[in-house]
Amino acid sequence: MKRTKINGLLTLEKIPGEVLIKGWVRTKRGSKEFSFMDINDGSALKNIQVIANNDLKNYSDIEKITTGTSVAVTGQLVESPGKGQKWEIQASDIEIINIALESYPLQKKRHSDEFLRTIAHLRPRTNKYGAVFRLRSEMMFASHKFYREKGFRYLTTPLITGADCEGAGEMFRVTSPEPGKENFFGRESNLTVSGQLSAEMFALALGDVYTFGPTFRAENSNTSRHVAEFWMLEPEMAFCDLKENMDHGEELVKYLTRYAMDECQEDMELFIKFVDKSLSKRIDTILNTKFGRISYTEAIEILLKSKKKFEFKVEYGTDLQSEHERFLAEEYFKKPVFLTDYPKEIKPFYMRMNDDGKTVAAVDLLVPGIGELIGGSQREERLDVLEKRMDEMSLSKKDYWWYLESRKFGSAPHSGFGMGFERFLMLITGISNIRDVIPFPRTPGSIDF
Ligand code: 4AD
Ligand code: MG
């Protein structure tokens, strides 16, 4: 018989008769006469209840089934008299695939997130992390769906690179395995911090493109919002200015949030009920309000005028700290807000110089609970301005020769941004630590699993 997944069973309208399911035992209660088991196969948050009578030939083995055991159950799907479930299975055969040892750590219902991080290989078997990783998968798909519907082309960009996109000196070095022969590629190479520079070349050929892949940062910041390996969704659009770039970012965030609410209801309900009491309101705000838009300069004025005590000093010309970003999004605007036009000194070389000669056409999207979700800009498409900027920043024009050529042969205004995928998941789940929305987090000093 063909196996049915539990998410398929739970939504059935008619009783199909006999079914076969395979999964892991979440709980078991029993007596000499019969046993009840809740089985979960990861396809849905909900379990299905199985009833085993003592006339089953291996009932004495069934009595020994422990939490975590993998089983295959054949039986009749019948209407359940119990509350909260439509169907249950009256088992005619239970095959024990593998008994979980008594040391299985997920015995009780609730464990702390900190503890579950130490068993990251088992945590997806809990309700909460099952929901997180189903949602993560759905949001990956929804991202591709969004861009397909908008006519963008999907581009994969190299993970090993010779270019430093952000110029922040936070790159992991790639070396040759042979001793003494460090530079396999003939020059220094690194794991990429962003696919942007490659994406720009393709935007100037295919029009609208996006890359979506892993990126790497060796910043030694042990915070709840940073990991050394994370996924970034990066659209890059030809003939697009800063305003259109923001419109696009707002549309993307709203689309993905809407998709989660419509297509992942059961898992989203778990986050709304059990993870963050203010999540429902936050999602409503994302969906139904227009995001704020102010300049960096205005943001500095707001921060200086606020009575709030910050740990880090607010000063024009310095980068905003997370506490400042969160104050703006959480307390001042109470919704996501775009900040634009940052001083050129605190932004990378590729951002377009504004007419004031002091600021660049940068944009960050700040969101409640997290701070920066999106970082992007209009790109400098004017060769002379770009070269001047690179000289000022002592960047080698020789190393970026191909990048500069794009400004010689039919250059065009273009814009794009990067959205941290894990930070987006934090936003819509209310989960406050980035380590809990990525399967096996990489952070300083930690590479278990
Ligand atoms: O602001 P960032 O550094 O922008 C870029 O890399 C641009 N080249 C992107 C582009 O324009 N195509 O990074 C973009 C986003 C941040 O807003 C943040 O959400 C996320 O990537 N991010 C991180 N997420 C998790 N851990 C880290 N260490 C992150 N660093 C950045
Ligand atoms: Mg940034």
Side-chain angles (χ1 to χ4, degrees):
M1 196 175 9
K2 212 170 157 249
R3 168 187 170 214
T4 312
K5 295 215 178 149
I6 292 172
N7 63 346
L9 278 189
L10 292 168
T11 52
L12 282 178
E13 287 301 324
K14 279 214 304 271
I15 302 182
E18 192 163 72
V19 292
L20 165 65
I21 59 144
K22 298 186 183 190
W24 295 270
V25 175
R26 280 288 176 85
T27 55
K28 183 172 147 278
R29 292 160 285 136
S31 64
K32 283 262 166 302
E33 286 76 46
F34 50 80
S35 298
F36 285 111
M37 278 178 274
D38 281 324
I39 313 284
N40 189 284
D41 68 0
S43 63
L45 182 68
K46 284 211 174 81
N47 307 321
I48 192 141
Q49 178 163 282
V50 169
I51 300 131
N53 288 336
N54 65 0
D55 54 1
L56 292 177
K57 58 182 187 305
N58 57 344
Y59 194 72
S60 58
D61 291 333
I62 291 169
E63 283 186 297
K64 291 184 207 126
I65 286 177
T66 51
T67 301
T69 291
S70 48
V71 292
V73 177
T74 310
Q76 290 290 327
L77 196 67
V78 294
E79 255 175 90
S80 175
K83 255 203 357 220
Q85 66 216 9
K86 196 166 173 195
W87 309 117
E88 56 190 28
I89 296 174
Q90 183 70 53
S92 55
D93 183 76
I94 295 183
E95 180 199 340
I96 297 165
I97 298 171
N98 180 243
I99 287 269
L101 301 181
E102 293 292 343
S103 54
Y104 183 61
L106 298 173
Q107 301 287 349
K108 52 174 189 155
K109 274 246 151 82
R110 275 189 178 257
H111 297 276
S112 72
D113 293 323
E114 290 75 17
F115 169 69
L116 290 170
R117 252 170 250 151
T118 69
I119 51 164
H121 58 306
L122 294 173
R123 68 179 177 170
R125 291 212 210 161
T126 64
N127 279 343
K128 178 171 162 185
Y129 289 90
V132 168
F133 295 112
R134 273 188 300 274
L135 182 71
R136 186 179 165 103
S137 168
E138 294 311 296
M139 287 298 101
M140 289 241 155
F141 172 75
S143 305
H144 289 294
K145 187 167 184 288
F146 174 76
Y147 281 112
R148 186 159 189 90
E149 286 169 6
K150 289 187 79 70
F152 281 54
R153 305 295 175 171
Y154 178 43
L155 175 72
T156 56
T157 48
L159 301 190
I160 301 176
T161 176
D164 180 0
C165 178
E166 293 306 291
E170 292 165 340
M171 299 200 291
F172 287 106
R173 189 80 175 270
V174 175
T175 58
S176 165
E178 289 164 66
K181 239 182 144 191
E182 186 159 315
N183 292 333
F184 183 92
F185 298 103
R187 52 179 281 213
E188 189 184 317
S189 56
N190 297 290
L191 294 181
T192 191
V193 296
S194 160
Q196 177 196 326
L197 302 186
S198 314
E200 280 187 52
M201 302 305 108
F202 277 75
L204 293 171
L206 303 185
D208 292 335
V209 298
Y210 68 104
T211 88
F212 192 8
T215 47
F216 307 88
R217 302 218 176 165
E219 54 200 328
N220 205 0
S221 40
N222 234 322
T223 79
S224 58
R225 290 160 291 102
H226 292 88
V227 272
E229 179 182 302
F230 64 100
W231 283 65
M232 211 200 287
L233 182 54
E234 297 183 90
E236 192 68 37
M237 298 156 283
F239 313 110
C240 172
D241 65 16
L242 192 68
K243 181 190 169 293
E244 292 164 314
N245 202 18
M246 283 189 271
D247 293 344
H248 180 84
E250 182 162 347
E251 194 184 339
L252 170 68
V253 170
K254 287 187 152 93
Y255 180 98
L256 294 180
T257 307
R258 172 92 274 150
Y259 189 94
M261 293 304 283
D262 289 349
E263 306 293 329
C264 315
Q265 284 174 15
E266 196 181 52
D267 291 327
M268 287 301 290
E269 255 169 46
L270 179 147
F271 303 125
I272 288 169
K273 273 197 197 136
F274 302 114
V275 173
D276 179 353
K277 294 277 171 260
S278 62
L279 182 60
S280 175
K281 196 160 163 262
R282 180 198 285 182
I283 286 176
D284 188 62
T285 305
I286 293 171
L287 291 176
N288 299 311
T289 60
K290 184 147 173 51
F291 296 177
R293 295 183 186 197
I294 55 163
S295 68
Y296 166 90
T297 310
E298 289 168 302
I300 293 289
E301 281 162 13
I302 291 170
L303 289 166
L304 287 174
K305 273 196 209 130
S306 83
K307 300 270 178 297
K308 186 103 179 165
K309 282 255 170 300
F310 294 113
E311 190 187 333
F312 293 90
K313 203 173 142 204
V314 178
E315 202 175 0
Y316 185 92
T318 59
D319 227 346
L320 295 184
Q321 298 293 324
S322 172
E323 55 172 344
H324 308 138
E325 298 177 335
R326 290 185 56 175
F327 171 80
L328 291 167
E330 267 162 59
E331 296 179 43
Y332 192 85
F333 284 94
K334 298 187 167 61
K335 63 179 180 180
V337 55
F338 288 105
L339 258 56
T340 59
D341 306 299
Y342 286 67
K344 64 176 183 187
E345 288 79 13
I346 55 172
K347 288 293 180 188
F349 74 97
Y350 55 72
M351 295 192 176
R352 192 177 197 279
M353 185 64 65
N354 287 328
D355 292 342
D356 62 13
K358 287 189 207 139
T359 60
V360 288
V363 60
D364 278 5
L365 176 63
L366 314 181
V367 297
I370 295 160
E372 182 187 336
L373 172 66
I374 281 177
S377 70
Q378 183 166 342
R379 320 305 188 189
E380 184 55 77
E381 84 282 15
R382 298 160 298 186
L383 181 66
D384 54 334
V385 185
L386 183 61
E387 285 185 327
K388 187 163 160 267
R389 193 80 193 101
M390 291 179 79
D391 286 341
E392 274 174 27
M393 297 176 78
S394 316
L395 287 169
S396 156
K397 282 181 289 196
K398 212 166 111 259
D399 285 354
Y400 290 89
W401 65 275
W402 52 276
Y403 187 79
L404 288 165
E405 283 212 341
S406 69
R407 273 64 172 172
K408 294 178 189 168
F409 311 132
S411 187
H414 60 288
S415 302
F417 61 77
M419 181 178 87
F421 186 67
E422 286 73 21
R423 290 199 186 170
F424 175 74
L425 292 176
M426 292 170 74
L427 177 72
I428 60 163
T429 58
I431 288 175
S432 56
N433 195 312
I434 196 167
R435 292 166 181 78
D436 299 337
V437 294
I438 190 163
F440 296 109
R442 269 79 183 95
T443 51
S446 154
I447 187 99
D448 297 340
F449 311 107

